[in-house]
Amino acid sequence: MPNPAGTRQNIISAVLRIIGQDGVAAVTNRRIAQEAGVSLGSVTYHFATQHDLLRESLLHFVEEETGRFTELAARGREEGIDLKGAAALVGQVAEGTGFDSTHLAPFELYVQAGRDPALREAAAECFAAYDRLAASVLAALGVPDAEEAASTVVALVFGMQLRRLATGSSAESLVDALLLLARGASGGR
């Protein structure tokens, strides 16, 4: 008997791969069905509209990423990581994050949200999750007003990752920028 949750997950994964390979315009039900190895009817059964597909794909990616980053942050708190160690850890994560089709897809979806108001709510939910995670890490590091600084940190990480994507540069500049920002936010400590 088919597993509906598994089918839905296969469809979402296929959408992220397609977007990362060829952009949002390449997302068609036929291509999704072929990529996911499901029937065309399964795609429309699980997702009534393309907006539903794009929204759920974006939210799924961010849920996976924030879960992974939350685990890393918790481990850092348990081990008593300091500001420099936290920045180095972010650099390691950034350097280890390949720009494969699945990791390219969110950038495409965020740009698409700028064109498509139906995706903006999902994008806002995603950035709110990143902001909460950043605030948690900054608070654990003793940064005052961690919640206020969180969105700036998230913007910096996204901007630096986009720069890495576009230029092929290393994550060292991300680490340096995070240290500069965090030191300023913590009063130079």
Side-chain angles (χ1 to χ4, degrees):
M1 182 171 205
N3 175 357
T7 300
R8 186 175 176 85
Q9 182 54 52
N10 287 343
I11 292 168
I12 288 171
S13 296
V15 168
L16 290 170
R17 283 191 306 275
I18 292 166
I19 292 170
Q21 291 167 358
D22 298 316
V24 173
V27 176
T28 65
N29 287 355
R30 287 192 195 293
R31 176 131 183 232
I32 295 164
Q34 180 182 2
E35 182 83 20
V38 300
S39 70
L40 186 57
S42 290
V43 176
T44 56
Y45 172 79
H46 287 281
F47 300 96
T49 67
Q50 189 169 26
H51 290 301
D52 291 341
L53 267 166
L54 297 177
R55 180 183 189 284
E56 291 303 315
S57 297
L58 181 58
L59 291 173
H60 171 76
F61 176 84
V62 171
E63 181 180 326
E64 294 279 315
E65 287 289 284
T66 56
R68 186 168 64 99
F69 296 153
T70 300
E71 286 178 25
L72 287 170
R75 197 168 54 226
R77 281 191 299 274
E78 289 170 10
E79 296 170 4
I81 199 165
D82 63 358
L83 184 60
K84 191 171 184 173
L89 181 61
V90 170
Q92 288 172 353
V93 169
E95 196 68 55
T97 300
F99 287 119
D100 57 15
S101 61
T102 301
H103 287 89
L104 285 173
F107 289 102
E108 293 273 349
L109 286 167
Y110 290 131
V111 170
Q112 185 66 21
R115 295 182 190 109
D116 183 351
L119 282 178
R120 286 190 188 140
E121 184 179 327
E125 287 179 48
C126 293
F127 278 100
Y130 286 132
D131 288 350
R132 286 190 301 274
L133 176 58
S136 170
V137 171
L138 292 170
L141 291 170
V143 173
D145 302 319
E147 286 187 21
E148 289 179 27
S151 64
T152 303
V153 168
V154 169
L156 173 69
V157 170
F158 260 78
M160 296 302 285
Q161 284 292 79
L162 186 57
R163 182 182 188 138
R164 285 187 58 233
L165 170 64
T167 65
S169 62
S170 75
E172 284 180 36
S173 56
L174 171 60
V175 173
D176 293 342
L178 279 172
L179 283 171
L180 180 66
L181 179 64
R183 284 188 184 120
S186 65
R189 289 187 272 154

